[in-house]
Amino acid sequence: MNIREATPADAEGIADLQVRAWRTAYRGQVPDAHLDDLVAESLLPNLRWTLERRPDYWRMWVAEDGGTLVGFASTTPSNDTDATPGVGELTAIYADPERLRGGIGSALLAHALEDLAGRAKRVTLWVLEGNAPARAFFEARGWEPDGSRTADLVGEVLLPAVRYRRAL
């Protein structure tokens, strides 16, 4: 497996993988109608724009295996209102749902944290409160909930989310 910086040419593969990952990871947490209505094409304009004009502080990597995109992760400085300087955020991490537990997520997470270590002292992420597999994944790798909560509007439903943090 190879991890490299994402390019605009990766936009379609990232969007497709994100839709498939959402449909697998969030079924039972996010309304089925929302997941069923997701299409990669709706993600492409924003994704292409971001990849083409990538701000210096924003990073995205893709994992490839045999030339096939099998995962991606992105980071940025934290946008949380209580964030202090030196706090980064893991904003996304997804692996091909057909290849879960194959080391893709672990490899992407290690790569993202290594990069963030040069720019931040701590890192946070938000995860849906009911997403037990994701919470277990992060907790097994040293992340801890910090007590902060929010709610994400998904479709027409507010879903509770919790913040995790760890030192770099």
Side-chain angles (χ1 to χ4, degrees):
M1 181 171 49
N2 177 51
I3 297 176
R4 62 171 176 77
E5 191 168 356
T7 70
D10 296 314
E12 287 183 25
I14 292 168
D16 176 68
L17 190 144
Q18 183 171 351
V19 168
R20 291 185 296 112
W22 268 56
R23 287 181 177 159
T24 299
Y26 300 135
R27 188 73 63 186
Q29 299 173 70
V30 171
D32 286 350
H34 181 78
L35 295 173
D36 294 340
D37 289 345
L38 281 177
V39 291
E41 292 77 18
S42 67
L43 304 175
L44 284 174
N46 185 50
L47 188 54
R48 280 191 180 122
W49 186 91
T50 303
L51 287 168
E52 289 169 357
R53 294 165 183 83
R54 184 181 68 83
D56 291 339
Y57 58 82
W58 182 83
R59 310 278 171 87
M60 180 177 264
W61 300 273
V62 294
E64 293 178 313
D65 188 13
T68 300
L69 193 143
V70 295
F72 70 93
S74 61
T75 62
T76 187
S78 176
N79 289 317
D80 294 337
T81 57
D82 63 347
T84 56
V87 177
E89 184 174 346
L90 179 68
T91 56
I93 184 166
Y94 293 101
D96 185 326
E98 295 178 12
R99 298 182 60 163
L100 292 178
R101 300 198 182 281
I104 297 164
S106 294
L108 280 166
L109 182 60
H111 188 87
L113 294 179
E114 182 179 320
D115 177 72
L116 272 174
R119 302 180 285 133
K121 294 181 176 140
R122 288 180 320 187
V123 62
T124 62
L125 63 85
W126 289 93
V127 62
L128 291 181
E129 185 175 56
N131 192 344
R135 293 181 73 170
F137 173 84
F138 292 115
E139 289 171 8
R141 288 156 182 81
W143 296 76
E144 296 179 346
D146 70 2
S148 295
R149 300 172 52 86
T150 191
D152 291 334
L153 183 61
V154 179
E156 297 180 8
V157 178
L158 278 173
L159 299 171
V162 293
R163 186 171 66 187
Y164 277 72
R165 79 167 70 177
R166 65 167 281 174
L168 291 173

